Amino acid sequence: MITIETFVRILDLGGTFVFAISGALAAVNRRLDIFGILVLSFVAGNFGGIARDLLIGAVPPAALTDGRYLLVSVLAGLITYFLYSGVDRLRTPVLLFDAAGLAFFAVAGAQKAIGFGLSPVMSALLGMLTGIGGGMTRDILLTEIPQVLRSDLYAVAALAGASIVVIGDVLGVSYGVSALTGGALCFGLRYMAIRHGWHLPSAHLSAQGRAETDSSNDKKPH
Amino acid sequence: MITIETFVRILDLGGTFVFAISGALAAVNRRLDIFGILVLSFVAGNFGGIARDLLIGAVPPAALTDGRYLLVSVLAGLITYFLYSGVDRLRTPVLLFDAAGLAFFAVAGAQKAIGFGLSPVMSALLGMLTGIGGGMTRDILLTEIPQVLRSDLYAVAALAGASIVVIGDVLGVSYGVSALTGGALCFGLRYMAIRHGWHLPSAHLSAQGRAETDSSNDKKPH
Amino acid sequence: MITIETFVRILDLGGTFVFAISGALAAVNRRLDIFGILVLSFVAGNFGGIARDLLIGAVPPAALTDGRYLLVSVLAGLITYFLYSGVDRLRTPVLLFDAAGLAFFAVAGAQKAIGFGLSPVMSALLGMLTGIGGGMTRDILLTEIPQVLRSDLYAVAALAGASIVVIGDVLGVSYGVSALTGGALCFGLRYMAIRHGWHLPSAHLSAQGRAETDSSNDKKPH
């Protein structure tokens, strides 16, 4: 029992750290000051879990009651701030860490939703939300369309990992096994997307339709 | 009793479907992949109700506990994805469906807020939020200023419809009657706005003030 | 007892009013219609408190159950709408009012979080969120990067004021004293930032790094 909770907590804190670095890097790139960098670190690292906790009624969210989430986020922000050029050179490692964070969050988020009595399908989706929510909020704060909505199997990998946990729960598989399997699947899909450019199709617009769409976009107020 | 609940549920699911189509269309126009399209479908179809449920303390929100909302949203997203050119050609019908969805949501949202003990004024506003919240979130995810903030009596129509339900509740009118009246008023206002360009005034800026504003906007960081 | 509650309520309503004016001014500058102006007034004036209340589990939020928040917000929006040129000429007074609103909110927000049993560190952060949340949401709705993330000790001033309240609570100082001290500190820091351009450092990018960042930003999808 305690082992599983500790395991979940470690996954959560590890995911928080790598996601917080992604938030801090984005903030540095957009010239935010040190405070803005720390806010983006916290948001990217914790907002997926906070959104999940608000939706399942687990208030105050764990990110607010357990000081370690804040500590880990601030640490990631400060490291990025002081070692920016170093962290920035590590883009590929950061992508891999980010894939690991996604796997951690998707698995832990699905498990928490199951524990709060959500249905299997919704638990899988909340696991996905836990994985992608922080990055989405980071992008919205920087007024960019969330990358997760357009790229590289990101959310699908999270959904696949979370689904394994949910299916394992339905079938009565031990959480340790399903968490490892789901996490590995999520990480593996992200890895293939990064290395080999796997991606999802977007809607087929004819050249005609595309031109129309472009011009209608141009007319839109901004 | 059961009849009213069933009625409310049908209104809600119908509104979810047409709003989800509006989200999917916007996502296709911005070249999101199939996952992004489904997310935008779900967000546009459900986020008004989710925001309302979070605010009145009805967690987990109905959109997460009743799988039909998810089903209807995914269906709308897939239909739009596979039949894009067809759906796109239906712009005017979609606008009318959207007006119907707005009417459904405003009426059902106000009724739910009343049931949770909110005051009449706040219930009317929460009905309006239920109607406009999904579209606002859709636009924010696509980094556009929410259309509802600038156009065509959209929110005012929702507020008018929701207000009728609230007034009916205060006066002891049966819900069926006030819901139909409120829904018809909301739909009618939207119809007039679409057909005849009814709109609200914006602030009167002198030519002088307008020029100043423009240049100060230019200087703003983006 | 009642005196403190009344005091807190007055602080809250005063802060709501000045923040609502900031939201209305931003909405007028972006050509929103009267409804959009009122929405931005309400959001800027109340969303910090609403976010705090959602996070600590105080639902429905005070801004929805106490009609005076709505009244004050609508009033601020209407005043701005009808007296735009007058209000706009008062930019410096508005900045000072805004600093006062920030101080009110930070102090009151921290106190409310303490009352809901949050830890001292989190109470201080929630005080800060109460102060900056409305302005952040206002900017997101207008698709701008929240100014608070890049400017002038804004959030730091809120955090400092909220921290004084929290430290006072830990040390057993009476709330009246710590609230006044914290509020004065917050207001003072903002005043110095406005008058003398005090600000936080941003990350040190070498000319090389800056060029790389710019070009990588250019390639990003928007």
Side-chain angles (χ1 to χ4, degrees), chain C residues 114-128:
Chain C
I114 292 171
F116 271 75
L118 275 283
S119 73
V121 171
M122 275 302 160
S123 296
L125 286 170
L126 282 166
M128 183 187 77

Side-chain angles (χ1 to χ4, degrees), chain C residues 20-94:
Chain C
I21 284 186
S22 85
L25 279 175
V28 169
N29 279 336
R30 298 296 287 261
R31 310 275 191 288
L32 301 195
D33 63 23
I34 176 66
F35 172 78
I37 294 169
L38 293 179
V39 168
L40 265 285
S41 302
F42 185 79
V43 163
N46 294 284
F47 216 81
I50 288 175
R52 176 204 58 209
D53 286 351
L54 286 181
L55 288 171
I56 65 179
V59 285
L64 299 193
T65 52
D66 181 338
R68 284 172 296 181
Y69 291 97
L70 177 64
L71 199 69
V72 158
S73 306
V74 167
L75 200 66
L78 291 178
I79 289 175
T80 306
Y81 177 73
F82 286 111
L83 305 176
Y84 174 74
S85 56
V87 175
D88 195 44
R89 219 168 289 141
L90 301 173
R91 269 187 199 275
T92 308
V94 166

Side-chain angles (χ1 to χ4, degrees), chain B residues 153-216:
Chain B
L153 291 183
Y154 198 90
V156 170
L159 183 57
S163 299
I164 296 292
V165 173
V166 170
I167 292 169
D169 181 73
V170 171
L171 300 181
V173 179
S174 98
Y175 176 59
V177 172
S178 66
L180 281 175
T181 314
L185 176 61
C186 175
F187 184 85
L189 281 172
R190 272 303 288 156
Y191 183 82
M192 295 311 282
I194 294 168
R195 286 281 164 207
H196 302 294
W198 285 12
H199 63 91
L200 293 177
S202 44
H204 300 283
L205 301 179
S206 65
Q208 170 75 8
R210 211 166 276 161
E212 276 169 12
T213 307
D214 284 345
S215 63
S216 74

Side-chain angles (χ1 to χ4, degrees), chain A residues 167-180:
Chain A
I167 293 170
D169 181 73
V170 171
L171 300 181
V173 179
S174 99
Y175 176 59
V177 172
S178 66
L180 281 174

